[in-house]
Amino acid sequence: MKITGAKVFVGGPGKNYVTLKIMTDQGVYGLGDATLNNRETLPAKYLEDYLVPALIGMDPRNSEDIWQYLYRGAYFRRGPIAMAAFGAIDMALWDIKGKLANMPIYQLLGGKSREGAMVYAHATGADLEDLMESISYYLEQGYKAVRVQCGIPGMPSASYGVSETKGDVENYITDFSGIRPKVEIWDTDRYMRYMPGALAEIRARFGPDLKILHDVHHRLLPREAAEFAKAVEPVGLYWLEDPTPAEDQDALTLLRQHSTVPIAIGEVFNSIWDCNKLIEKELIDFIRVAVTYAGGITPVKRIVDLAGLHNVRTGFHGAPSHSPLSMAAQAQINAWAPNFGIQEYLVLGTPECDALFPSEHRLENGLFHVSDAPGLGVDFDEQEAERYRYKPGSHPIVRLEDGTLWNY
Ligand code: KDG
Ligand code: MG
């Protein structure tokens, strides 16, 4: 069996999804996702110029050897652009493998460990009352877990995770007016003074059963993060996400000395080498890698297994920018992983998105039910894809009031 060709598409409804389609001499094709939010043309170019030509003639069933060939063959290791490109190829090869076996990928990993995988939604509010309404909305939809972000009184601009337009969770991470980023202003003191009380009010309003998550988005220094984690301990958070800049892994040692709040980290990691120490030292409780950014199903399965040895559960990244293909790859792992925790999931299901990526995966009462279709369980309509082109977009950047650049 041989790979005969591959195509890369960039575009989508309100997003720049990077979709790879690998064709074979047996008519079976595989699909993969290389969407690197706000840098989408780069993995696409890497695939087209360097990786696709090398794949032609290879046996697509040898996904492990092909992964090693890509990773070691680049000589320069890791990095989000390369890993997203490898991730798309790896996903597509697993898709082909599943189609050849006539089985969903979760069966090839070891079968189902659960019927539905718990997901969390993004509740957001310009102020606390607005956020409370957003949480109620998700509870009415049957969600058991929500990530809560709200505007901070006196903060010069919206804080992380708060959209300018009420209810618009889609676009606060991408501004399609151009590639020059908007500037947001951050004030740590105001955040530290306000947010613990706001989280306590949310707990008081919604009771003990709601799983409450909160994303600090790397904005605090290690000592501040330790103070914040200690202050929010009575709330009983399901997790506190990215309390410190992800590169500073020792920061979490300090935090652990002061708080037992569960920590989730890893959405910016690209490989097992970014998180093996954090996992082995049990400095985190949830690992947040994404199958796309961390190089595909093959390496992420290794991360999940390592995490399982250390009682670290999964909580894969699933921001609004993730394509239905990447979410499907994660859903396949979530169905199997014995140490599954939760999945970040934002309903992508606009009619346009469903037309571009038809699938039988479904969300019901806050649980994601993986489809039993062979492979990833998602198709890609090339004719629909004709409607979309790459649109330049950007992340905001963050500065302090005096102009100092800060962590987004
Ligand atoms: O591209 C950046 C987003 O993926 C990120 O800001 C989203 O923090 C995020 C999350 O938890 O989904
Ligand atoms: Mg996050």
Side-chain angles (χ1 to χ4, degrees):
M1 186 173 186
K2 283 188 171 41
I3 295 173
T4 50
K7 301 186 211 173
V8 182
F9 305 81
V10 184
K15 311 273 161 56
N16 290 312
Y17 295 134
V18 181
T19 304
L20 173 72
K21 179 171 184 175
I22 294 184
M23 283 79 73
T24 69
D25 58 357
Q26 295 190 12
V28 182
Y29 59 86
L31 298 166
D33 169 57
T35 310
L36 181 63
N37 194 29
N38 295 317
R39 294 289 184 273
E40 297 89 350
T41 53
L42 301 176
K45 189 87 179 125
Y46 192 5
L47 281 162
E48 279 166 345
D49 290 358
Y50 298 99
L51 304 183
V52 167
L55 287 176
I56 313 291
M58 286 186 178
D59 185 333
R61 294 169 299 185
N62 296 335
S63 47
E64 180 67 61
D65 183 64
I66 292 177
W67 196 86
Q68 300 293 336
Y69 174 94
L70 299 170
Y71 184 79
R72 292 170 199 257
Y75 181 67
F76 300 101
R77 302 288 164 97
R78 295 139 67 173
I81 298 163
M83 294 302 266
F86 304 166
I89 293 173
D90 187 71
M91 255 180 245
L93 299 182
W94 278 90
D95 193 26
I96 291 171
K97 211 186 287 296
K99 287 170 177 165
L100 291 173
N102 200 25
M103 285 181 189
I105 292 168
Y106 73 76
Q107 288 293 4
L108 307 178
L109 298 173
K112 259 191 198 172
S113 301
R114 60 196 55 77
E115 279 314 312
M118 180 170 62
V119 305
Y120 70 88
H122 286 189
T124 164
D127 57 30
L128 187 54
E129 237 359 88
D130 197 17
L131 172 59
M132 298 280 195
E133 265 179 52
S134 173
I135 298 170
S136 300
Y137 166 80
Y138 287 110
L139 290 181
E140 281 156 25
Q141 311 291 308
Y143 285 83
K144 294 151 187 49
V146 282
R147 187 190 82 167
V148 302
Q149 309 293 131
C150 82
I152 308 292
M155 188 81 91
S157 60
S159 53
Y160 168 74
V162 180
S163 54
E164 276 164 12
T165 340
K166 200 173 158 194
D168 177 15
V169 292
E170 294 251 320
N171 280 327
Y172 64 79
I173 56 169
T174 307
D175 169 16
F176 282 111
S177 62
I179 56 163
R180 190 181 281 267
K182 270 195 317 207
V183 181
E184 286 177 4
I185 307 296
W186 171 255
D187 179 339
T188 297
D189 292 344
R190 283 199 171 90
Y191 173 78
M192 296 273 286
R193 281 199 301 269
Y194 185 72
M195 204 61 214
L199 291 169
E201 281 189 49
I202 293 168
R203 172 60 77 210
R205 174 89 63 102
F206 293 98
D209 289 340
L210 176 63
K211 294 183 171 41
I212 303 173
L213 296 76
H214 179 65
D215 191 348
V216 183
H217 226 252
H218 325 277
R219 303 264 165 107
L220 299 179
L221 299 175
R223 193 213 57 77
E224 294 162 349
E227 182 186 328
F228 188 85
K230 201 156 82 170
V232 300
E233 220 161 68
V235 177
L237 291 180
Y238 186 80
W239 82 31
L240 185 67
E241 178 177 337
D242 288 334
T244 52
E247 305 92 314
D248 182 3
Q249 305 201 343
D250 289 339
L252 296 173
T253 311
L254 181 71
L255 193 151
R256 281 295 211 213
Q257 285 162 357
H258 294 276
S259 171
T260 54
V261 72
I263 300 299
I265 207 160
E267 64 180 50
V268 298
F269 294 163
N270 314 126
S271 80
I272 197 164
W273 303 109
D274 298 320
C275 54
N276 61 329
K277 293 284 177 288
L278 286 178
I279 292 172
E280 284 159 11
K281 292 184 190 162
E282 302 187 5
L283 289 174
I284 57 173
D285 301 279
F286 294 91
I287 180 69
R288 295 256 309 131
V289 288
V291 170
T292 296
Y293 305 150
I297 292 173
T298 300
V300 168
K301 183 179 181 303
R302 279 195 268 275
I303 295 177
V304 173
D305 280 332
L306 177 67
L309 292 180
H310 295 280
N311 303 303
V312 174
R313 287 184 284 165
T314 63
F316 293 148
H317 189 215
S321 48
H322 284 255
S323 123
L325 284 164
S326 123
M327 296 309 290
Q330 301 194 152
Q332 300 288 344
I333 299 179
N334 292 341
W336 151 76
N339 51 329
F340 168 76
I342 197 167
Q343 170 66 57
E344 180 179 28
Y345 183 78
L346 296 149
V347 178
L348 304 167
T350 59
E352 294 81 9
C353 195
D354 291 345
L356 186 59
F357 295 102
S359 98
E360 304 272 298
H361 297 297
R362 68 196 161 82
L363 183 73
E364 224 174 76
N365 277 329
L367 299 181
F368 193 94
H369 296 269
V370 68
S371 141
D372 283 323
L376 286 170
V378 177
D379 210 348
F380 179 68
D381 188 324
E382 287 186 46
Q383 251 182 328
E384 275 291 311
E386 292 290 311
R387 296 174 52 191
Y388 304 107
R389 292 284 168 274
Y390 168 73
K391 280 200 318 192
S394 63
H395 267 137
I397 57 156
V398 172
R399 290 187 186 276
L400 305 182
E401 271 178 290
D402 71 356
T404 307
L405 201 89
W406 207 245
N407 300 310
Y408 171 64

